[in-house]
Amino acid sequence: MTKFEKANAEIVHEETLSDGWTRLSNYEVDYTNSDGETHRIHREIYHRTAAATILLHDPKRDTVVLVRQFRLPVYLHGEPAWMLETPAGLLDGDEPEAAIRREAIEETGFRVRDVRFLFKAYSSPGSNAEVVHFFAASIDTEDRVSEGGGLAEEHEDIEVVEIALDEAVQMIATGEIIDFKTIILLQWATLNRAALNKP
């Protein structure tokens, strides 16, 4: 047993601070560290529900389909807030694959056929409970069944952008793509180029 396997945490108290678009809770936790010392720590946690995202790749043209939309936190930082991202959305009670198929059609108009689950990851585990399921799928121009653009009833205003994979990867270095899930999927595509480009 390593010293860190002796660490332990016990939730003493939870208080809901806000319960709007995202629930925010304050926790008091008795944390016993790896040296056996117990301290009471306070943490605020955002209870974001699970989400899914997908890399839509056209192997014939070696392009990816991204979406551009307004993001308020980025706007508050004074940065360009209409961000390029991979299609994504909350699971809303669906299984991850069903959710990302739904989001792909809603946001981009592409009906995906063979969906490949890649991995899951926590977006910001220090303060955010959100876990994101990552997928990839090959698409063709014939797979586009609608214009996409998001749901009007949710006031979504989404631009669909098709771009060469190499150009998208370069946009990470230039700061034009700054969304973590998109960066992860583009880097995955770079590392798996041989398998990705098989039609």
Side-chain angles (χ1 to χ4, degrees), residues 16-84:
T16 297
L17 302 177
S18 175
D19 197 4
W21 190 57
T22 299
R23 185 164 69 92
L24 172 65
S25 294
N26 180 60
Y27 285 90
E28 292 182 12
V29 180
D30 281 348
Y31 180 75
T32 304
N33 66 22
S34 57
D35 293 323
E37 301 170 338
T38 300
H39 304 277
R40 181 153 297 180
I41 60 175
H42 300 266
R43 295 290 184 270
E44 292 180 358
I45 302 297
Y46 290 94
H47 297 274
R48 290 285 291 164
T49 57
T53 187
I54 191 166
L55 182 73
L56 299 177
H57 177 256
D58 185 334
K60 294 179 181 176
R61 296 183 294 167
D62 201 19
T63 58
V64 292
V65 174
L66 303 177
V67 294
R68 191 192 309 274
Q69 57 189 316
F70 176 75
R71 295 302 193 188
L72 178 57
V74 182
Y75 179 80
L76 296 175
H77 274 276
E79 299 189 50
W82 282 263
M83 293 179 62
L84 275 175

Side-chain angles (χ1 to χ4, degrees), residues 102-167:
R102 178 194 72 228
E103 291 294 334
I105 291 178
E106 289 178 4
E107 294 190 1
T108 70
F110 279 89
R111 176 170 290 141
V112 293
R113 290 166 290 169
D114 298 325
V115 177
R116 177 180 176 185
F117 173 73
L118 304 178
F119 45 79
K120 67 179 183 178
Y122 284 86
S123 58
S124 184
S127 61
N128 192 332
E130 180 185 58
V131 60
V132 181
H133 301 262
F134 289 76
F135 293 86
S138 294
I139 56 169
D140 187 272
T141 53
E142 296 177 359
D143 296 324
R144 194 166 191 190
V145 296
S146 72
E147 291 299 312
L151 297 177
E153 61 266 30
E154 295 183 6
H155 308 292
E156 291 181 316
D157 183 27
I158 295 173
E159 178 189 3
V160 182
V161 180
E162 185 173 10
I163 188 168
L165 175 58
D166 285 339
E167 183 179 349

